[in-house]
Amino acid sequence: MQRICVIGGNRYFGKLLVERLQAAGCQVTVINRGSVPPPAGVGHLVVDRNDEAALTAALDARTFDVVVDQVCYTPVQAAVAARAFAGRTRRYVMTSTIEVYDPATAALPAVPPRTPVSEEVVDPTAWRVAMDLPWHDDAYLEAHYAEGKRQAEAVFAHAGSFAHADSFAFAAVRSAHVLGGGAREFTGRLAHYAELITQGEEITVHAKALPTAFIHYEELASLLSWAAGADFTGPVNACSDGPLDVHDLAGIVAAQAGREAVYRTVPAGEEASPFSFDRHYAMSNARAKALGFSFSRTSDWLPGAVAEALAVSAASTD
């Protein structure tokens, strides 16, 4: 029986991950601040992961086969966790993001236009870490979300690179934009499109909007569960086959709503609706496939996710 610790795991795909690990016979322990209790039969440590002394005390003598970290956003948080779990786990899996590839947030190696970006474009073992930035400031963190994730990966990659008894193997799952789940979808972006289109309001798009990658929340939970039981290290991209641009996405919503999407075009560099991108960073999932994970196509699950979003939108206007 695998002993797995999930940090976070109290909402959306993290909650589903916990349920799936438990159903697979794993002994699961969830660490969070206690706002939402885990399912019956799941261990629960109520502690703030930012408080290193409290986290270390709460862990006590516990050890785990794998830690899956759902809520690490900064190198400071990563350093606290790396020290706290040194000698307590053999494997550490961090949920990361497609945002690490956003060329608007860092000087990244150039890739040919419309070429899916592979993992080596952002190498955590070579990424510079700056602990002295104001990572504890919520406004700074929100504005530097992508960089926080890149540096968090880097801290874990270095923590797991030393050949001594306390080191652990590290993997980062870089998730595409997550959709599905209806009212559970905490970003609300698909519901936002459902509301705009059903109400006939404008969707703001770039003149040459480029495609990006998506993944269903259930598929991401499946991939994280797979990653916990695998032995690969380093980053792996998690996205369904079939990138979409904002017009593709809005068109599917409009078709199911029986309405027409209304667009307003803005130049590159200006703010637009979610998933309208004036720059390219759609991911390649070739490495995950080569390691043995099989992805769905976005077109397989998106109509169902749109139907859920339309139902939520309709309920909110009743």
Side-chain angles (χ1 to χ4, degrees), residues 55-71:
L55 177 59
T56 302
L59 289 170
D60 195 19
R62 292 175 178 84
T63 60
F64 305 96
D65 296 300
V66 186
V67 175
V68 182
D69 194 341
Q70 298 280 82
V71 288

Side-chain angles (χ1 to χ4, degrees), residues 190-201 309-310 312-313 316-317:
L190 199 53
H192 172 73
Y193 277 93
E195 291 172 9
L196 288 181
I197 289 170
T198 55
Q199 295 171 15
E201 297 182 17
L310 288 168
V312 170
S313 177
S316 68
T317 58

